[in-house]
Amino acid sequence: MLERIKQMMAEVEALKATSAEEAEALRVKYLSKKGDITALMNDFRSVPAELKKQVGMAINELKNRATERINELKASFASVDADTDDIDITRTAYPVELGTRHPLTIVRNEIVDIFSRLGFSLAEGPEVEDDWHVFSSMNFPDDHPARDMQDTFFVESHPDIILRTHTSSVQARIMERQQPPIRVICPGRVYRNEAISARAHCFFHQVEGLYIDKDVSFTDLKQVLLLFAKEMFGEDTQIRLRPSYFPFTEPSAEMDVSCTICGGKGCSMCKGSGWLEILGCGMVHPNVLEANGIDSTIYKGYAFGMGIERIANLKYQVKDLRLFSENDVRFLREFEAAN
Ligand code: DAH
């Protein structure tokens, strides 16, 4: 009898199962009413009295070990249930909601994506800037009205430190540390001291483009902008360039696209003209190249700048600029599908 118990103990130690069902089958085989170990216990009656103590202890040990081993096997297949420590009972019962991309981020990414396909790389500069990068190096005369307190936020104790009023400052940042060829696209936030209304805000977003190399011409600029307009607003979009003035470009132009609503026939969006203004551009002024350490007798360049809110308005017809910064989820959720 003792020999059988020993043998069965070895068997129990080596038990294996590949599923919960197999583990249960082992329980039935050894421990159920008709199981092998139960049968041993029934045989116990016939054990001679002088061996009863020793055999009894051995059977008990075998039974305990078999129960333990089979439970271990079962536990290894059991799925996590409520009384294990893996459940975080402090977690909210509501599903975690995913946010949506901000409409300005969607439009920014689209603009950057279009230009990166044309070989432009991404560059960024600081929002807190100095007068040199925002104005002086960009060929603004000392008495230019844009420097006026009306437009620019100054840091009170440091009149030279300002919040940038345009992303053109990033042009200067790039040129001072890199020689041509330069081909960058620079998105970012800008600040102007304006009264907040549906049509103006004290901060908004721009994207600046800069291309400098030998033999760059105005036609290169026009072609790139036409391609951008078609990618952004659709294949049928047309552009027109009107002469304009910016201190940092010469010649300068403003670009219109054919109205995104009426396609050029005239409607309330384009005030009957068929055209919508979207950006400023031009050939980089030689003074700007020289001020930033680039030889203007060898290199030429073009630049352009556009407002992201403006483009977003044309795409999504957002009537009030303030919606972009109020973080009202009812507004932000509208753009879920546009991701
Ligand atoms: N910086 C101009 C603005 O804020 C936009 C602009 C116009 C940028 C012409 C340019 C440019 O690079 O060539 O209104």
PDB file of all heavy atoms in Angstrom, residues 140 165-169 171 190 192 204 206-210 246 248-249 252-253 279-284 302-306, ligand 1:
ATOM      1  N   PHE A 140      12.189  96.536 -41.704  1.00  0.00           N
ATOM      2  CA  PHE A 140      11.190  97.528 -41.285  1.00  0.00           C
ATOM      3  C   PHE A 140      11.924  98.816 -40.926  1.00  0.00           C
ATOM      4  O   PHE A 140      12.849  98.776 -40.102  1.00  0.00           O
ATOM      5  CB  PHE A 140      10.444  97.050 -40.023  1.00  0.00           C
ATOM      6  CG  PHE A 140       9.339  96.064 -40.283  1.00  0.00           C
ATOM      7  CD1 PHE A 140       9.630  94.731 -40.558  1.00  0.00           C
ATOM      8  CD2 PHE A 140       8.013  96.475 -40.237  1.00  0.00           C
ATOM      9  CE1 PHE A 140       8.608  93.821 -40.788  1.00  0.00           C
ATOM     10  CE2 PHE A 140       6.988  95.552 -40.454  1.00  0.00           C
ATOM     11  CZ  PHE A 140       7.290  94.233 -40.736  1.00  0.00           C
ATOM     12  N   THR A 165       4.905  89.431 -34.002  1.00  0.00           N
ATOM     13  CA  THR A 165       3.656  89.833 -34.645  1.00  0.00           C
ATOM     14  C   THR A 165       3.438  89.066 -35.943  1.00  0.00           C
ATOM     15  O   THR A 165       2.373  89.136 -36.538  1.00  0.00           O
ATOM     16  CB  THR A 165       3.679  91.330 -34.974  1.00  0.00           C
ATOM     17  OG1 THR A 165       4.833  91.581 -35.790  1.00  0.00           O
ATOM     18  CG2 THR A 165       3.763  92.170 -33.720  1.00  0.00           C
ATOM     19  N   HIS A 166       4.480  88.401 -36.392  1.00  0.00           N
ATOM     20  CA  HIS A 166       4.357  87.547 -37.581  1.00  0.00           C
ATOM     21  C   HIS A 166       5.434  86.456 -37.551  1.00  0.00           C
ATOM     22  O   HIS A 166       6.433  86.584 -36.836  1.00  0.00           O
ATOM     23  CB  HIS A 166       4.422  88.353 -38.883  1.00  0.00           C
ATOM     24  CG  HIS A 166       5.683  89.162 -39.058  1.00  0.00           C
ATOM     25  ND1 HIS A 166       5.925  89.941 -40.157  1.00  0.00           N
ATOM     26  CD2 HIS A 166       6.772  89.308 -38.264  1.00  0.00           C
ATOM     27  CE1 HIS A 166       7.106  90.527 -40.040  1.00  0.00           C
ATOM     28  NE2 HIS A 166       7.643  90.169 -38.914  1.00  0.00           N
ATOM     29  N   THR A 167       5.197  85.382 -38.319  1.00  0.00           N
ATOM     30  CA  THR A 167       6.188  84.295 -38.349  1.00  0.00           C
ATOM     31  C   THR A 167       7.355  84.620 -39.278  1.00  0.00           C
ATOM     32  O   THR A 167       8.267  83.814 -39.417  1.00  0.00           O
ATOM     33  CB  THR A 167       5.538  82.959 -38.776  1.00  0.00           C
ATOM     34  OG1 THR A 167       4.670  83.200 -39.889  1.00  0.00           O
ATOM     35  CG2 THR A 167       4.751  82.336 -37.645  1.00  0.00           C
ATOM     36  N   SER A 168       7.342  85.811 -39.908  1.00  0.00           N
ATOM     37  CA  SER A 168       8.480  86.189 -40.750  1.00  0.00           C
ATOM     38  C   SER A 168       9.767  86.236 -39.932  1.00  0.00           C
ATOM     39  O   SER A 168      10.867  86.085 -40.476  1.00  0.00           O
ATOM     40  CB  SER A 168       8.231  87.553 -41.412  1.00  0.00           C
ATOM     41  OG  SER A 168       7.072  87.496 -42.204  1.00  0.00           O
ATOM     42  N   SER A 169       9.646  86.400 -38.618  1.00  0.00           N
ATOM     43  CA  SER A 169      10.841  86.402 -37.751  1.00  0.00           C
ATOM     44  C   SER A 169      11.611  85.084 -37.856  1.00  0.00           C
ATOM     45  O   SER A 169      12.822  85.058 -37.669  1.00  0.00           O
ATOM     46  CB  SER A 169      10.428  86.645 -36.305  1.00  0.00           C
ATOM     47  OG  SER A 169       9.487  85.673 -35.901  1.00  0.00           O
ATOM     48  N   GLN A 171      12.154  83.497 -40.537  1.00  0.00           N
ATOM     49  CA  GLN A 171      13.055  83.643 -41.697  1.00  0.00           C
ATOM     50  C   GLN A 171      14.443  84.061 -41.226  1.00  0.00           C
ATOM     51  O   GLN A 171      15.460  83.481 -41.622  1.00  0.00           O
ATOM     52  CB  GLN A 171      12.546  84.750 -42.629  1.00  0.00           C
ATOM     53  CG  GLN A 171      11.335  84.411 -43.458  1.00  0.00           C
ATOM     54  CD  GLN A 171      11.133  85.484 -44.536  1.00  0.00           C
ATOM     55  OE1 GLN A 171      12.060  86.132 -44.992  1.00  0.00           O
ATOM     56  NE2 GLN A 171       9.883  85.670 -44.954  1.00  0.00           N
ATOM     57  N   VAL A 190       1.192  83.848 -33.450  1.00  0.00           N
ATOM     58  CA  VAL A 190       1.653  85.242 -33.452  1.00  0.00           C
ATOM     59  C   VAL A 190       0.684  86.088 -32.628  1.00  0.00           C
ATOM     60  O   VAL A 190      -0.454  85.672 -32.367  1.00  0.00           O
ATOM     61  CB  VAL A 190       1.773  85.798 -34.895  1.00  0.00           C
ATOM     62  CG1 VAL A 190       2.759  84.971 -35.707  1.00  0.00           C
ATOM     63  CG2 VAL A 190       0.420  85.844 -35.585  1.00  0.00           C
ATOM     64  N   ARG A 192      -0.945  90.099 -31.731  1.00  0.00           N
ATOM     65  CA  ARG A 192      -1.100  91.516 -32.051  1.00  0.00           C
ATOM     66  C   ARG A 192      -2.051  92.159 -31.060  1.00  0.00           C
ATOM     67  O   ARG A 192      -3.046  91.538 -30.651  1.00  0.00           O
ATOM     68  CB  ARG A 192      -1.618  91.702 -33.483  1.00  0.00           C
ATOM     69  CG  ARG A 192      -0.535  91.362 -34.486  1.00  0.00           C
ATOM     70  CD  ARG A 192      -0.902  91.687 -35.899  1.00  0.00           C
ATOM     71  NE  ARG A 192       0.010  90.952 -36.788  1.00  0.00           N
ATOM     72  CZ  ARG A 192      -0.100  90.883 -38.094  1.00  0.00           C
ATOM     73  NH1 ARG A 192      -1.099  91.516 -38.698  1.00  0.00           N
ATOM     74  NH2 ARG A 192       0.761  90.200 -38.807  1.00  0.00           N
ATOM     75  N   PHE A 204      -3.179  84.748 -33.095  1.00  0.00           N
ATOM     76  CA  PHE A 204      -3.660  83.871 -34.161  1.00  0.00           C
ATOM     77  C   PHE A 204      -2.460  83.097 -34.712  1.00  0.00           C
ATOM     78  O   PHE A 204      -1.391  83.110 -34.100  1.00  0.00           O
ATOM     79  CB  PHE A 204      -4.413  84.675 -35.238  1.00  0.00           C
ATOM     80  CG  PHE A 204      -3.652  85.816 -35.837  1.00  0.00           C
ATOM     81  CD1 PHE A 204      -3.023  85.683 -37.064  1.00  0.00           C
ATOM     82  CD2 PHE A 204      -3.568  87.036 -35.178  1.00  0.00           C
ATOM     83  CE1 PHE A 204      -2.327  86.742 -37.633  1.00  0.00           C
ATOM     84  CE2 PHE A 204      -2.862  88.103 -35.721  1.00  0.00           C
ATOM     85  CZ  PHE A 204      -2.244  87.959 -36.960  1.00  0.00           C
ATOM     86  N   GLN A 206       0.031  81.642 -38.044  1.00  0.00           N
ATOM     87  CA  GLN A 206       0.482  81.866 -39.414  1.00  0.00           C
ATOM     88  C   GLN A 206       1.392  80.718 -39.855  1.00  0.00           C
ATOM     89  O   GLN A 206       1.922  79.976 -39.025  1.00  0.00           O
ATOM     90  CB  GLN A 206       1.307  83.157 -39.507  1.00  0.00           C
ATOM     91  CG  GLN A 206       0.506  84.427 -39.349  1.00  0.00           C
ATOM     92  CD  GLN A 206       1.350  85.666 -39.610  1.00  0.00           C
ATOM     93  OE1 GLN A 206       2.559  85.671 -39.386  1.00  0.00           O
ATOM     94  NE2 GLN A 206       0.714  86.716 -40.083  1.00  0.00           N
ATOM     95  N   VAL A 207       1.565  80.638 -41.168  1.00  0.00           N
ATOM     96  CA  VAL A 207       2.594  79.759 -41.724  1.00  0.00           C
ATOM     97  C   VAL A 207       3.447  80.605 -42.657  1.00  0.00           C
ATOM     98  O   VAL A 207       2.922  81.315 -43.523  1.00  0.00           O
ATOM     99  CB  VAL A 207       1.990  78.582 -42.516  1.00  0.00           C
ATOM    100  CG1 VAL A 207       3.106  77.747 -43.133  1.00  0.00           C
ATOM    101  CG2 VAL A 207       1.134  77.704 -41.621  1.00  0.00           C
ATOM    102  N   GLU A 208       4.731  80.532 -42.457  1.00  0.00           N
ATOM    103  CA  GLU A 208       5.680  81.283 -43.274  1.00  0.00           C
ATOM    104  C   GLU A 208       6.396  80.299 -44.184  1.00  0.00           C
ATOM    105  O   GLU A 208       6.716  79.184 -43.769  1.00  0.00           O
ATOM    106  CB  GLU A 208       6.705  81.916 -42.307  1.00  0.00           C
ATOM    107  CG  GLU A 208       7.609  82.913 -42.921  1.00  0.00           C
ATOM    108  CD  GLU A 208       6.916  84.264 -43.069  1.00  0.00           C
ATOM    109  OE1 GLU A 208       5.827  84.481 -42.497  1.00  0.00           O
ATOM    110  OE2 GLU A 208       7.487  85.101 -43.777  1.00  0.00           O
ATOM    111  N   GLY A 209       6.640  80.706 -45.423  1.00  0.00           N
ATOM    112  CA  GLY A 209       7.442  79.869 -46.322  1.00  0.00           C
ATOM    113  C   GLY A 209       8.645  80.665 -46.790  1.00  0.00           C
ATOM    114  O   GLY A 209       8.546  81.874 -47.015  1.00  0.00           O
ATOM    115  N   LEU A 210       9.787  80.002 -46.937  1.00  0.00           N
ATOM    116  CA  LEU A 210      11.001  80.697 -47.393  1.00  0.00           C
ATOM    117  C   LEU A 210      11.810  79.770 -48.277  1.00  0.00           C
ATOM    118  O   LEU A 210      12.043  78.605 -47.929  1.00  0.00           O
ATOM    119  CB  LEU A 210      11.845  81.117 -46.180  1.00  0.00           C
ATOM    120  CG  LEU A 210      13.185  81.795 -46.492  1.00  0.00           C
ATOM    121  CD1 LEU A 210      12.973  83.166 -47.138  1.00  0.00           C
ATOM    122  CD2 LEU A 210      14.037  81.929 -45.220  1.00  0.00           C
ATOM    123  N   PHE A 246       5.275  94.922 -48.852  1.00  0.00           N
ATOM    124  CA  PHE A 246       5.783  94.474 -47.549  1.00  0.00           C
ATOM    125  C   PHE A 246       7.237  94.921 -47.485  1.00  0.00           C
ATOM    126  O   PHE A 246       7.930  94.880 -48.506  1.00  0.00           O
ATOM    127  CB  PHE A 246       5.721  92.938 -47.417  1.00  0.00           C
ATOM    128  CG  PHE A 246       4.339  92.376 -47.532  1.00  0.00           C
ATOM    129  CD1 PHE A 246       3.912  91.775 -48.722  1.00  0.00           C
ATOM    130  CD2 PHE A 246       3.447  92.436 -46.464  1.00  0.00           C
ATOM    131  CE1 PHE A 246       2.629  91.258 -48.836  1.00  0.00           C
ATOM    132  CE2 PHE A 246       2.161  91.924 -46.583  1.00  0.00           C
ATOM    133  CZ  PHE A 246       1.740  91.336 -47.771  1.00  0.00           C
ATOM    134  N   PHE A 248       9.761  93.474 -46.338  1.00  0.00           N
ATOM    135  CA  PHE A 248      10.754  92.406 -46.485  1.00  0.00           C
ATOM    136  C   PHE A 248      10.764  91.742 -47.853  1.00  0.00           C
ATOM    137  O   PHE A 248      11.540  90.823 -48.094  1.00  0.00           O
ATOM    138  CB  PHE A 248      10.561  91.348 -45.383  1.00  0.00           C
ATOM    139  CG  PHE A 248       9.117  91.157 -44.978  1.00  0.00           C
ATOM    140  CD1 PHE A 248       8.325  90.204 -45.591  1.00  0.00           C
ATOM    141  CD2 PHE A 248       8.551  91.969 -43.998  1.00  0.00           C
ATOM    142  CE1 PHE A 248       7.003  90.042 -45.233  1.00  0.00           C
ATOM    143  CE2 PHE A 248       7.219  91.814 -43.622  1.00  0.00           C
ATOM    144  CZ  PHE A 248       6.438  90.853 -44.241  1.00  0.00           C
ATOM    145  N   THR A 249       9.873  92.171 -48.754  1.00  0.00           N
ATOM    146  CA  THR A 249       9.888  91.603 -50.111  1.00  0.00           C
ATOM    147  C   THR A 249       9.826  92.708 -51.159  1.00  0.00           C
ATOM    148  O   THR A 249       9.247  93.775 -50.936  1.00  0.00           O
ATOM    149  CB  THR A 249       8.682  90.654 -50.330  1.00  0.00           C
ATOM    150  OG1 THR A 249       7.515  91.257 -49.765  1.00  0.00           O
ATOM    151  CG2 THR A 249       8.904  89.297 -49.707  1.00  0.00           C
ATOM    152  N   SER A 252       6.413  92.761 -54.117  1.00  0.00           N
ATOM    153  CA  SER A 252       5.512  92.060 -53.194  1.00  0.00           C
ATOM    154  C   SER A 252       4.150  91.866 -53.855  1.00  0.00           C
ATOM    155  O   SER A 252       3.773  92.639 -54.740  1.00  0.00           O
ATOM    156  CB  SER A 252       5.297  92.892 -51.926  1.00  0.00           C
ATOM    157  OG  SER A 252       6.514  93.191 -51.297  1.00  0.00           O
ATOM    158  N   ALA A 253       3.430  90.862 -53.391  1.00  0.00           N
ATOM    159  CA  ALA A 253       2.096  90.623 -53.944  1.00  0.00           C
ATOM    160  C   ALA A 253       1.184  90.040 -52.890  1.00  0.00           C
ATOM    161  O   ALA A 253       1.654  89.490 -51.878  1.00  0.00           O
ATOM    162  CB  ALA A 253       2.189  89.668 -55.128  1.00  0.00           C
ATOM    163  N   LEU A 279      -3.085  85.162 -48.937  1.00  0.00           N
ATOM    164  CA  LEU A 279      -1.714  85.284 -48.405  1.00  0.00           C
ATOM    165  C   LEU A 279      -0.951  86.451 -49.012  1.00  0.00           C
ATOM    166  O   LEU A 279      -1.354  87.031 -50.021  1.00  0.00           O
ATOM    167  CB  LEU A 279      -0.937  83.974 -48.594  1.00  0.00           C
ATOM    168  CG  LEU A 279      -0.753  83.357 -49.984  1.00  0.00           C
ATOM    169  CD1 LEU A 279       0.360  84.055 -50.778  1.00  0.00           C
ATOM    170  CD2 LEU A 279      -0.397  81.891 -49.832  1.00  0.00           C
ATOM    171  N   GLY A 280       0.173  86.766 -48.362  1.00  0.00           N
ATOM    172  CA  GLY A 280       1.113  87.763 -48.865  1.00  0.00           C
ATOM    173  C   GLY A 280       2.386  87.060 -49.295  1.00  0.00           C
ATOM    174  O   GLY A 280       2.747  86.022 -48.742  1.00  0.00           O
ATOM    175  N   CYS A 281       3.075  87.612 -50.301  1.00  0.00           N
ATOM    176  CA  CYS A 281       4.273  86.946 -50.793  1.00  0.00           C
ATOM    177  C   CYS A 281       5.161  87.914 -51.563  1.00  0.00           C
ATOM    178  O   CYS A 281       4.795  89.067 -51.769  1.00  0.00           O
ATOM    179  CB  CYS A 281       3.887  85.774 -51.697  1.00  0.00           C
ATOM    180  SG  CYS A 281       2.933  86.275 -53.158  1.00  0.00           S
ATOM    181  N   GLY A 282       6.304  87.434 -52.002  1.00  0.00           N
ATOM    182  CA  GLY A 282       7.176  88.266 -52.817  1.00  0.00           C
ATOM    183  C   GLY A 282       8.586  87.712 -52.877  1.00  0.00           C
ATOM    184  O   GLY A 282       8.874  86.656 -52.314  1.00  0.00           O
ATOM    185  N   MET A 283       9.454  88.464 -53.574  1.00  0.00           N
ATOM    186  CA  MET A 283      10.868  88.073 -53.636  1.00  0.00           C
ATOM    187  C   MET A 283      11.571  88.706 -52.437  1.00  0.00           C
ATOM    188  O   MET A 283      11.390  89.899 -52.163  1.00  0.00           O
ATOM    189  CB  MET A 283      11.506  88.594 -54.938  1.00  0.00           C
ATOM    190  CG  MET A 283      10.846  88.074 -56.202  1.00  0.00           C
ATOM    191  SD  MET A 283      10.759  86.263 -56.273  1.00  0.00           S
ATOM    192  CE  MET A 283      12.493  85.837 -56.484  1.00  0.00           C
ATOM    193  N   VAL A 284      12.360  87.892 -51.738  1.00  0.00           N
ATOM    194  CA  VAL A 284      13.012  88.378 -50.512  1.00  0.00           C
ATOM    195  C   VAL A 284      13.858  89.618 -50.832  1.00  0.00           C
ATOM    196  O   VAL A 284      14.659  89.615 -51.777  1.00  0.00           O
ATOM    197  CB  VAL A 284      13.907  87.280 -49.889  1.00  0.00           C
ATOM    198  CG1 VAL A 284      14.598  87.792 -48.627  1.00  0.00           C
ATOM    199  CG2 VAL A 284      13.079  86.047 -49.570  1.00  0.00           C
ATOM    200  N   TYR A 302      12.322  83.619 -52.502  1.00  0.00           N
ATOM    201  CA  TYR A 302      10.950  84.085 -52.357  1.00  0.00           C
ATOM    202  C   TYR A 302      10.438  83.715 -50.977  1.00  0.00           C
ATOM    203  O   TYR A 302      11.004  82.827 -50.314  1.00  0.00           O
ATOM    204  CB  TYR A 302      10.030  83.569 -53.470  1.00  0.00           C
ATOM    205  CG  TYR A 302       9.812  82.073 -53.542  1.00  0.00           C
ATOM    206  CD1 TYR A 302       9.109  81.384 -52.557  1.00  0.00           C
ATOM    207  CD2 TYR A 302      10.264  81.344 -54.655  1.00  0.00           C
ATOM    208  CE1 TYR A 302       8.890  80.024 -52.642  1.00  0.00           C
ATOM    209  CE2 TYR A 302      10.056  79.976 -54.749  1.00  0.00           C
ATOM    210  CZ  TYR A 302       9.371  79.324 -53.747  1.00  0.00           C
ATOM    211  OH  TYR A 302       9.158  77.974 -53.821  1.00  0.00           O
ATOM    212  N   ALA A 303       9.388  84.415 -50.557  1.00  0.00           N
ATOM    213  CA  ALA A 303       8.798  84.136 -49.249  1.00  0.00           C
ATOM    214  C   ALA A 303       7.298  84.326 -49.346  1.00  0.00           C
ATOM    215  O   ALA A 303       6.805  85.023 -50.245  1.00  0.00           O
ATOM    216  CB  ALA A 303       9.373  85.064 -48.189  1.00  0.00           C
ATOM    217  N   PHE A 304       6.577  83.694 -48.450  1.00  0.00           N
ATOM    218  CA  PHE A 304       5.131  83.919 -48.391  1.00  0.00           C
ATOM    219  C   PHE A 304       4.665  83.680 -46.964  1.00  0.00           C
ATOM    220  O   PHE A 304       5.355  83.023 -46.177  1.00  0.00           O
ATOM    221  CB  PHE A 304       4.380  83.004 -49.374  1.00  0.00           C
ATOM    222  CG  PHE A 304       4.697  81.548 -49.219  1.00  0.00           C
ATOM    223  CD1 PHE A 304       4.021  80.761 -48.299  1.00  0.00           C
ATOM    224  CD2 PHE A 304       5.694  80.954 -50.002  1.00  0.00           C
ATOM    225  CE1 PHE A 304       4.323  79.419 -48.148  1.00  0.00           C
ATOM    226  CE2 PHE A 304       6.007  79.600 -49.849  1.00  0.00           C
ATOM    227  CZ  PHE A 304       5.332  78.829 -48.940  1.00  0.00           C
ATOM    228  N   GLY A 305       3.528  84.285 -46.647  1.00  0.00           N
ATOM    229  CA  GLY A 305       2.993  84.098 -45.306  1.00  0.00           C
ATOM    230  C   GLY A 305       1.475  84.091 -45.350  1.00  0.00           C
ATOM    231  O   GLY A 305       0.861  84.885 -46.075  1.00  0.00           O
ATOM    232  N   MET A 306       0.890  83.156 -44.592  1.00  0.00           N
ATOM    233  CA  MET A 306      -0.592  83.088 -44.606  1.00  0.00           C
ATOM    234  C   MET A 306      -1.113  82.841 -43.194  1.00  0.00           C
ATOM    235  O   MET A 306      -0.406  82.307 -42.333  1.00  0.00           O
ATOM    236  CB  MET A 306      -1.062  81.982 -45.542  1.00  0.00           C
ATOM    237  CG  MET A 306      -0.694  80.592 -45.095  1.00  0.00           C
ATOM    238  SD  MET A 306      -1.112  79.376 -46.351  1.00  0.00           S
ATOM    239  CE  MET A 306       0.471  79.129 -47.154  1.00  0.00           C
TER     240      MET A 306
HETATM  241  N1  DAH B   1       4.368  88.734 -42.409  1.00  0.00           N
HETATM  242  C1  DAH B   1       3.207  89.133 -43.190  1.00  0.00           C
HETATM  243  C2  DAH B   1       2.032  89.421 -42.257  1.00  0.00           C
HETATM  244  O1  DAH B   1       2.094  89.102 -41.117  1.00  0.00           O
HETATM  245  C3  DAH B   1       2.808  88.060 -44.144  1.00  0.00           C
HETATM  246  C4  DAH B   1       3.806  87.931 -45.236  1.00  0.00           C
HETATM  247  C5  DAH B   1       3.693  88.662 -46.382  1.00  0.00           C
HETATM  248  C6  DAH B   1       4.879  87.035 -45.103  1.00  0.00           C
HETATM  249  C7  DAH B   1       4.611  88.543 -47.401  1.00  0.00           C
HETATM  250  C8  DAH B   1       5.804  86.898 -46.129  1.00  0.00           C
HETATM  251  C9  DAH B   1       5.657  87.670 -47.289  1.00  0.00           C
HETATM  252  O2  DAH B   1       6.818  86.073 -46.065  1.00  0.00           O
HETATM  253  O3  DAH B   1       6.553  87.537 -48.277  1.00  0.00           O
HETATM  254  O4  DAH B   1       1.075  89.992 -42.671  1.00  0.00           O
END
